[in-house]
Amino acid sequence: MSYYGPVSDARIPPHPDPRDVPLQQVLEALVDPVRRSILTQLAHAADDVKCGGFDLDVSTSTATHHFKVLREAGLIRQYYVGTSRMNSLRGDEVGKAFPGLLDAIVAAESGRRGQRRGTSSATTRSGRSAKRTPSVA
Amino acid sequence: MSYYGPVSDARIPPHPDPRDVPLQQVLEALVDPVRRSILTQLAHAADDVKCGGFDLDVSTSTATHHFKVLREAGLIRQYYVGTSRMNSLRGDEVGKAFPGLLDAIVAAESGRRGQRRGTSSATTRSGRSAKRTPSVA
DNA sequence: ACCATAGTACGACACTCGTCATAGTTTGAG
DNA sequence: CTCAAACTATGACGAGTGTCGTACTATGGT
């Protein structure tokens, strides 16, 4: 199977096989803009990226939550390097379980050749709850 | 552009061009199991299907809501024939706006070649709110 | 005309989920 | 040993949405 980082780390929760993850769960993971941002950044990165290395507009704890959702959906693999948690896209494995799905998402996210009007990439449509900038405090 | 049914019907709300629909909105439409069921049934049907012709486990009013979401996401086209509202999959147009996306979903929904264990197709994972069988009344 | 058929619209309700703040844990360096 | 860095876990809160029932509208047939 060949792992990347340390073969076994007590801090690392188990990673499911993407083929065992229901489509429903994968789509629920993909529907959040922040999580899709993580995936596309990962897809475009040359190397694996540590949790703190992403450009995300949410707090650290929220980011942790999103990483967990992605990991449990079988979309990313995580392993520790020192105190940093590294993330890698499980592109190949996901591709075998859901052919074309992840590619289509990533391509649509960063490209939109079919698009007509704005290429603004302002994907922040609803996002469930905004709560952005809670009027100071 | 060649329409299918009656060229103009006051009862029919406007259909957006799939290329103008944000990816976010499309994914929000695709994440619901009932809506995906509509799409796959439509993908496998030989002809267009009327709203009442689908096998769905929700009430009529709820189904109406789902059809609306799909239409506004540019995924289906609706037109009246008598009192029946017909539905057709906008496969080609969606394919141009989001290459491979719809195909991947439909394929994963009805097939799962990559799958290992259960082919149970019990896609009903969370579904947001169940409320099924409200303990009588 | 009258009524059945086929859907839509509206309002209410419950439940899920994204968000943050705070506290806790583990590793690595000094 | 102590402290900083990097995350994770928990609890609370608010917003969005899937669900239903009921009321309403519009064809089509008798």
Side-chain angles (χ1 to χ4, degrees):
Chain A
M1 291 307 184
S2 75
Y3 248 92
Y4 296 169
V7 175
S8 179
D9 191 318
R11 292 171 293 175
I12 290 292
H15 289 65
D17 186 316
R19 290 172 295 188
D20 293 330
V21 180
L23 172 64
Q24 183 61 36
Q25 186 174 352
V26 175
L27 290 178
E28 283 172 4
L30 291 173
V31 80
D32 186 276
V34 177
R35 289 194 286 264
R36 270 205 315 286
S37 176
I38 292 174
L39 294 179
T40 54
Q41 286 183 48
L42 218 38
H44 294 151
D47 304 304
D48 295 352
V49 184
K50 54 179 259 190
C51 288
F54 290 87
D55 179 31
L56 304 173
D57 288 335
V58 293
S59 68
T60 316
S61 53
T62 298
T64 295
H65 164 65
H66 288 307
F67 284 117
K68 181 180 181 183
V69 173
L70 289 172
R71 176 184 7 100
E72 294 180 340
L75 294 170
I76 64 172
R77 188 190 312 275
Q78 298 191 299
Y79 58 96
Y80 268 102
V81 172
T83 63
S84 294
R85 199 168 212 172
M86 304 299 295
N87 302 275
S88 71
L89 195 58
R90 302 180 70 179
D92 293 347
E93 296 166 280
V94 176
K96 283 171 186 162
F98 303 95
L101 181 56
L102 191 51
D103 299 317
I105 300 282
V106 172
E109 192 76 86
S110 47
R112 294 308 300 276
R113 293 126 300 159
Q115 191 108 5
R116 287 204 312 184
R117 312 213 200 301
T119 319
S120 55
S121 79
T123 328
T124 315
R125 207 183 72 88
S126 69
R128 193 57 114 271
S129 70
K131 201 189 195 181
R132 205 58 56 85
T133 320
S135 70
V136 192
Chain B
M1 291 309 175
S2 76
Y3 250 92
Y4 296 169
V7 176
S8 179
D9 191 320
R11 292 171 293 176
I12 291 292
H15 289 66
D17 186 315
R19 290 172 296 188
D20 294 330
V21 180
L23 172 64
Q24 183 62 35
Q25 186 174 351
V26 175
L27 290 178
E28 284 172 3
L30 291 172
V31 81
D32 187 276
V34 176
R35 289 195 285 265
R36 269 204 318 284
S37 177
I38 292 175
L39 293 179
T40 54
Q41 287 183 47
L42 217 39
H44 293 150
D47 304 303
D48 294 353
V49 184
K50 54 180 259 189
C51 289
F54 289 87
D55 180 30
L56 303 173
D57 289 333
V58 293
S59 68
T60 316
S61 54
T62 299
T64 295
H65 164 66
H66 288 308
F67 284 117
K68 181 180 180 183
V69 172
L70 289 172
R71 175 181 13 96
E72 294 180 340
L75 294 170
I76 64 172
R77 188 189 310 276
Q78 297 191 299
Y79 59 96
Y80 267 102
V81 172
T83 63
S84 294
R85 200 168 211 171
M86 304 299 296
N87 302 275
S88 72
L89 196 59
R90 301 180 70 179
D92 293 346
E93 296 165 280
V94 176
K96 283 171 186 161
F98 304 95
L101 180 57
L102 190 52
D103 299 317
I105 301 281
V106 172
E109 192 76 85
S110 46
R112 293 307 302 275
R113 293 126 299 157
Q115 190 107 7
R116 287 204 312 185
R117 312 214 199 300
T119 320
S120 54
S121 80
T123 328
T124 315
R125 209 181 72 88
S126 69
R128 193 55 114 280
S129 72
K131 200 192 195 177
R132 204 58 55 86
T133 320
S135 69
V136 192

